[in-house]
Amino acid sequence: MNETVKLELDEIKALSLNILTKSGFGTDHANAIAGMLATCQIDDCQSHGLFRLFMCNDTMKAGKIDGRVAPVLEHSDNAIVRVDAQDGMSLLAFEQALPVLIEKTRTHGIAAMAINRCFHFSALWPEVERLSAVGLAAMAMVPSHSWVAPAGGTRGSLGTNPLAFSWPRQGQDPFTFDFATSAFARGEIELYRRAGKPLPEGVAIDKDGQPTTDPQAAMEGAMLTFGGYKGSALSIMIELMAGPLIDDLTSLESMEYAEGAGGAPYHGEIILAFDPAQFSGGRLAANDTRAERLFADIIGQGARLPSQRRFAARARNTERGYVEIAKTLHDDLQALAAQV
Ligand code: NDP
Ligand code: PYC
């Protein structure tokens, strides 16, 4: 980041609420979205923090989202919690279904939340960390739009499809990772374009199928998966698990549904939760110790665990009471606030 602006922690939410309510989101949705954006920004997650206010506003302008609708939670006797976002943003549906997911996981040892018919713009780690915060292990995945070519392909079929995982640790930050199965998240490419910086090699191809480092050409062409055919297979799994498995759209179908309009993709999300107390054969403490031995061995070599940068940013920003964002982003957000 070049020139930056300081924002106090309560200003992050206030700025978000101002833009979201003026864009047309009702209070409950605006609060759920602003809470997510603040959580991400405090952890210096630039691609899915305040920057995503543009996508939220674009989603509203595209005209298909309902910014005020209440999600509908389905009753079930099994371990599946299904919540219909009813064409709203995903986050309020997640909030409403979370207590039921926790209760079902404690009852059955394993449970899943399926969110249907939602617009989705956000990072997944804040959701899986809500589960590890209460002692559960969790995974989450979503499709997006078909911006990503499968390994060996030449055009977008797959989404940027993030996969997140969080493992609870006694008295410490959880072990969490959360990343797109594309080499770069779409949001990251947008940030490169805004900064006028070239992409690294191996991230994208242009519309003629040729490798490109130009962010604009990448957005007009196709992005690539990370790890070649391995990332491609994981991405296909996410399409299936958070698409046909839960009776919702794939990234290809989400792109078709958008009919060329901007904004967030429209599809489903799946969140899986596991209760270590029930899986560990009555040896929870001993198994926790074994997991900690693995973490210690990794850190002991000088390697870092995923999310350590984020946890350090959270500690630093919380202690000093402000975050720093790019001045260009701040200027553009002020302009958006004035224009909506
Ligand atoms: P990044 O590549 O920035 O980071 C991925 C993960 O890897 C993080 O947990 C990160 O930890 C960790 N990591 C990075 N460097 C190292 C390292 N050297 N050693 C160990 N761990 C490391 O993620 P992406 O850009 O792919 O995704 C960013 C966000 O975008 C995610 O939160 C994702 O959910 C979101 N997203 C959302 C989509 C949607 O449709 N809703 C679609 C695609 C992405 P740390 O943060 O500490 O650096
Ligand atoms: O960064 O790839 C991305 C993304 C897609 C939808 C929300 N974020």
Side-chain angles (χ1 to χ4, degrees):
M1 259 190 289
N2 292 333
E3 206 180 342
T4 61
V5 168
K6 288 179 187 170
L7 272 187
E8 295 195 2
L9 301 190
D10 52 2
E11 287 180 285
I12 306 172
K13 201 160 176 195
L15 174 62
S16 303
L17 285 175
N18 180 28
I19 291 176
L20 291 165
T21 48
K22 283 187 186 166
S23 299
F25 287 97
T27 310
D28 290 348
H29 278 287
N31 272 315
I33 298 168
M36 168 62 82
L37 296 176
T39 300
C40 286
Q41 201 61 56
I42 290 168
D43 280 22
D44 281 355
C45 176
Q46 305 298 350
S47 64
H48 288 75
L50 286 168
F51 174 59
R52 278 298 181 218
L53 282 166
F54 300 110
M55 187 179 247
C56 292
N57 181 55
D58 287 347
T59 310
M60 198 51 95
K61 281 199 305 200
K64 294 194 174 184
I65 191 169
D66 186 335
R68 296 176 185 275
V69 71
V72 175
L73 202 59
E74 230 177 63
H75 173 78
S76 81
D77 292 328
N78 60 25
I80 301 167
V81 190
R82 192 182 281 283
V83 55
D84 184 346
Q86 301 216 87
D87 297 349
M89 206 59 103
S90 65
L91 298 171
L92 193 57
F94 174 82
E95 289 299 332
Q96 294 197 355
L98 180 64
V100 187
L101 176 64
I102 293 171
E103 185 195 309
K104 282 188 184 287
T105 310
R106 297 225 190 280
T107 304
H108 299 286
I110 182 167
M113 183 194 299
I115 305 177
N116 286 120
R117 301 204 297 141
C118 64
F119 288 85
H120 200 292
F121 74 89
S122 50
L124 301 184
W125 59 263
E127 295 182 345
V128 288
E129 286 189 358
R130 294 285 289 280
L131 290 152
S132 57
V134 297
L136 304 176
M139 298 173 76
M141 39 196 129
V142 280
S144 61
H145 271 345
S146 50
W147 293 307
V148 182
T154 54
R155 61 183 160 73
S157 294
L158 306 169
T160 46
N161 299 5
L163 174 65
F165 173 76
S166 193
W167 172 271
R169 299 177 68 192
Q170 290 287 332
Q172 303 199 54
D173 289 321
F175 171 86
T176 305
F177 69 77
D178 176 15
F179 47 70
T181 45
S182 47
F184 267 36
R186 188 82 170 175
E188 198 63 29
I189 295 191
E190 288 168 32
L191 289 178
Y192 270 68
R193 184 178 59 174
R194 282 175 66 85
K197 288 194 309 191
L199 297 168
E201 305 278 347
V203 168
I205 50 180
D206 64 20
K207 55 183 178 353
D208 301 318
Q210 297 304 311
T212 183
T213 57
D214 174 359
Q216 183 62 36
M219 293 181 73
E220 288 164 9
M223 300 159 67
L224 299 175
T225 58
F226 81 82
Y229 66 88
K230 298 182 183 181
S232 188
L234 277 178
S235 183
I236 297 166
M237 175 194 78
I238 293 168
E239 294 287 341
L240 299 174
M241 294 286 287
L245 179 74
I246 62 164
D247 186 32
D248 220 311
L249 303 191
T250 63
S251 299
L252 269 174
E253 292 163 341
S254 169
M255 190 80 120
E256 283 161 12
Y257 177 81
E259 297 176 300
Y266 174 77
H267 46 68
E269 174 176 359
I270 189 165
I271 298 132
L272 305 168
F274 309 83
D275 185 358
Q278 296 207 42
F279 270 95
S280 62
R283 292 178 292 281
L284 183 60
N287 283 305
D288 269 348
T289 305
R290 295 177 51 242
E292 288 307 319
R293 184 174 161 229
L294 171 63
F295 297 136
D297 192 63
I298 293 166
I299 296 164
Q301 304 174 36
R304 80 151 161 107
L305 295 178
S307 297
Q308 277 186 344
R309 175 205 60 85
R310 201 164 52 67
F311 294 140
R314 182 185 304 175
R316 184 185 62 247
N317 291 337
T318 307
E319 212 222 329
R320 67 189 187 180
Y322 67 85
V323 296
E324 284 179 286
I325 65 169
K327 181 171 182 308
T328 48
L329 172 61
H330 188 256
D331 291 349
D332 289 349
L333 288 172
Q334 296 298 334
L336 179 62
Q339 137 208 334
V340 282

